[in-house]
Amino acid sequence: NIVKIALWAKYHSSKYHVSVGLFLMADEYMKMHRKLADTRLYSNFDYVLRNYFFSQHNFDPIPLRALGNMTCGDPKDRNREPWKTMMKLPVPSNATSTYGPRWGLHWIFLMPHDIHVMLQRPVTSAWPIQQRSQNCTFRGSRKTGNGARVRLQTATQQEKYKNLNCSVILDKEFAENPMGKFYYINTLLGDTKVAFNPRGDHPECHRLPEILKMGTVPAMLEDEYMQYTFRPIPGIKGPTWDVVLDQMQYYLTENEARLAALAQDANLWISDLETCMTSDMGVILEGVHHDYQK
């Protein structure tokens, strides 16, 4: 219960003079049921980290930042609207126009669902696009009501899709099969040029970082959260699946060199993001520590 946690944080911080941060992971469920945590409670913490991007109006007047943008974001974005991605931290203690954690409210880009050795390889070890045997693939759950599978049907039912020679594999649960995660990560994601990344119950999905880490090019619809990362997410993107399929056709049949460059950038992007988020977290923790040493 976030209310009890917030009260505990305020009590312990004042009594023992210690810092308290909050990491929220379960917000996808809360979003589905429109149960956003009361952001006024965030003021009881020194910093708040949360998965799943939400539009700024859900947090007004607390500025929402993307973890990683503070140390790696483009300086030109310091005053970018509607979201000032590199707003100076900490928030002044005498600020009257805002409230919230002194060291910020930060959105954390989703990482892979499971930690797997195949997803921890060096950037340079990804299998070259030109040597991969599959044009494109999608791996998901065949459960009734599965959001990603249902949304991908918009693409797979089009005539353009049939010409791409893609494979769609549905398991009882996401990425579960007798051959295990190794097969899903190495044999499917690692041997395909393009992987579909349809949204599920939320626009963000653990599938995307898995695709990027394997040096595979994601094919996906544009979404608001993609505007706020430290640099644009590499991939084949468009406002509709019709547009995305046209681009896939172009890259796969007419410009494989550009597709290979996109794949390398995808692998490098997710590696850089992890480094940038770690750097930002270092700035936050060092600042909080300094506050409590005064």
Side-chain angles (χ1 to χ4, degrees), residues 14-140:
S14 59
K15 182 174 181 178
Y16 301 108
H17 199 61
V18 295
S19 65
V20 182
L22 175 67
F23 179 27
L24 281 171
M25 288 186 64
D27 293 352
E28 183 179 24
Y29 179 84
M30 295 161 68
K31 167 80 172 185
M32 291 165 60
H33 297 275
R34 304 191 181 280
K35 295 179 181 177
L36 275 172
D38 189 335
T39 53
R40 289 174 295 181
L41 298 173
Y42 288 171
S43 300
N44 289 11
F45 302 92
D46 294 295
Y47 57 89
V48 174
L49 313 173
R50 51 171 295 131
N51 285 139
Y52 296 105
F53 174 84
F54 285 76
S55 296
Q56 175 64 56
H57 67 80
N58 288 298
F59 300 107
D60 283 339
I62 305 177
L64 180 63
R65 301 168 171 87
L67 196 67
N69 285 18
M70 192 161 37
T71 52
C72 295
D74 190 328
K76 293 183 295 185
D77 286 343
R78 290 182 186 274
N79 296 308
R80 181 160 62 99
E81 299 292 353
W83 186 24
K84 297 180 181 179
T85 58
M86 296 182 66
M87 192 173 292
K88 186 177 179 181
L89 289 175
V91 175
S93 57
N94 62 349
T96 57
S97 61
T98 188
Y99 63 88
R102 177 166 164 77
W103 286 92
L105 166 62
H106 305 269
W107 161 57
I108 301 179
F109 189 86
L110 280 182
M111 287 291 117
H113 198 276
D114 295 311
I115 297 175
H116 193 282
V117 65
M118 297 303 298
L119 296 174
Q120 309 304 320
R121 302 186 307 180
V123 170
T124 53
S125 68
W127 194 245
I129 282 291
Q130 295 89 336
Q131 298 183 37
R132 300 190 183 195
S133 64
Q134 301 180 76
N135 272 350
C136 43
T137 189
F138 170 76
R139 190 68 180 258

Side-chain angles (χ1 to χ4, degrees), residues 142-206:
R142 61 172 178 266
K143 290 193 300 185
T144 302
N146 176 262
R149 177 181 59 79
V150 171
R151 289 180 176 88
L152 187 61
Q153 287 178 349
T154 305
T156 58
Q157 291 173 354
Q158 295 191 40
E159 193 66 32
K160 295 176 183 178
Y161 167 82
K162 299 175 184 178
N163 299 325
L164 294 176
N165 193 26
C166 298
S167 64
V168 174
I169 302 173
L170 301 178
D171 299 314
K172 183 177 180 181
E173 297 290 342
F174 172 60
E176 286 191 3
N177 60 81
M179 301 182 75
K181 293 286 185 181
F182 179 88
Y183 178 75
Y184 163 65
I185 294 170
N186 193 64
T187 307
L188 290 179
L189 289 184
D191 193 37
T192 189
K193 299 172 184 177
V194 179
F196 287 106
N197 179 52
R199 63 164 290 168
D201 295 317
H202 192 276
E204 293 174 78
C205 178
H206 294 284

Side-chain angles (χ1 to χ4, degrees), residues 204-225:
E204 293 174 78
C205 178
H206 294 284
R207 182 183 287 105
L208 178 56
E210 293 170 350
I211 293 170
L212 296 169
K213 279 179 170 286
M214 292 308 293
T216 303
V217 178
M220 52 196 174
L221 298 183
E222 295 167 346
D223 202 275
E224 185 180 8
Y225 78 91

